[in-house]
Amino acid sequence: MLIIIGLGNPGKEYQKTPHNLGFMAIEEIAKENEFPGFRLSKKFKAEISEGEISGQKTVLAKPQTFMNESGKAVKAIFNFPSFAPPARFDARRAGGASAGKQFSSLLVIHDDIDLPLGEIKISENRGSAGHKGVESIIKALKTKGFARFRIGAKPAAKPENAKDFVLKNFTKSEEKVVKKALTNTVQAIKSAITEGVEKAMNEYN
């Protein structure tokens, strides 16, 4: 089972903000691959949808715990037997050879204030670099052995307060850049699943 997590904050007021780029991307993945509508699961503390991507059974999830506690939802999903990746999962196809055991099938999508708006970068087996949502997941799973798809949220002019900036709505011109970035992210995810994360890195980084 492949698990793809998109990070963000629940609530309409956050829908078009930089901090919700993970949610936006996961919704595009669901649309592109004809997944059923997301449903709220109190058990998993997330909205989830199940389907297949390139023949691989996949769970898409949007944690509803707010960004800083994303790890609670991710841990709940991984602790569920039906979603737990099997020991024989091919890490070369999803997660790369360097990823950590059962977490090799976890892909996390999130915003990155250090990357220019619209740019995407893939990494794996790395620390949170200060991202509170990723930090929460690493602490909850006790590993950093998973792949991350980072979508740039850095504006042209440096904001006075980064914390406030990531919770403000995108402008119309920014939305056009974001739309292209989401399309690229969907393609990068598919590449990682079919060809492996390392190859996706070479192509999209």
Side-chain angles (χ1 to χ4, degrees):
M1 180 72 74
L2 177 65
I3 298 173
I4 306 178
I5 308 289
L7 300 187
N9 287 312
K12 290 184 178 181
E13 65 269 37
Y14 300 113
Q15 283 182 351
K16 295 184 178 181
T17 64
H19 231 14
N20 269 37
L21 283 167
F23 275 13
M24 295 179 200
I26 213 83
E27 288 163 1
E28 284 298 311
I29 292 169
K31 181 180 178 181
E32 179 71 19
N33 293 280
E34 299 182 341
F35 274 57
F38 284 88
R39 69 181 191 277
L40 177 62
S41 169
K42 292 183 179 179
K43 179 191 300 183
F44 304 128
K45 302 177 177 65
E47 289 187 355
I48 66 169
S49 181
E50 299 174 60
E52 289 190 3
I53 299 178
S54 298
Q56 176 65 53
K57 289 184 178 180
T58 303
V59 174
L60 303 180
K62 298 187 290 181
Q64 299 296 295
T65 54
F66 284 93
M67 182 67 77
N68 292 5
E69 296 187 335
S70 299
K72 291 182 178 180
V74 178
K75 186 176 181 179
I77 291 169
F78 265 90
N79 282 341
F80 190 62
S82 295
F83 291 165
R88 64 181 181 276
F89 191 88
D90 187 354
R92 292 171 298 176
R93 291 192 62 196
S98 64
K101 298 182 180 179
Q102 75 257 40
F103 301 107
S104 63
S105 61
L106 171 64
L107 309 179
V108 177
I109 310 171
H110 64 88
D111 64 299
D112 192 325
I113 192 66
D114 293 323
L115 288 178
L117 182 67
E119 184 175 315
I120 68 170
K121 192 165 187 179
I122 307 166
S123 60
E124 64 174 334
N125 236 2
R126 294 182 59 182
S128 67
H131 193 285
K132 297 300 183 182
V134 175
E135 184 178 313
S136 175
I137 294 173
I138 291 173
K139 287 182 178 179
L141 299 183
K142 295 181 173 57
T143 182
K144 57 184 178 181
F146 52 88
R148 291 159 50 198
F149 291 71
R150 299 147 54 196
I151 305 176
K154 185 178 180 180
K158 184 177 179 180
E160 294 182 6
N161 188 311
K163 184 177 179 180
D164 290 340
F165 167 76
V166 295
L167 298 178
K168 288 184 177 179
N169 286 348
F170 287 116
T171 65
K172 291 295 183 182
S173 59
E174 288 172 338
E175 284 182 359
K176 293 179 181 179
V177 177
V178 168
K179 185 176 181 180
K180 184 176 180 180
L182 295 178
T183 297
N184 289 338
T185 302
V186 172
Q187 294 172 344
I189 288 285
K190 185 174 183 180
S191 175
I193 293 171
T194 58
E195 303 293 337
V197 171
E198 186 174 347
K199 186 165 183 179
M201 285 181 183
N202 293 335
E203 184 175 356
Y204 290 93
N205 283 2

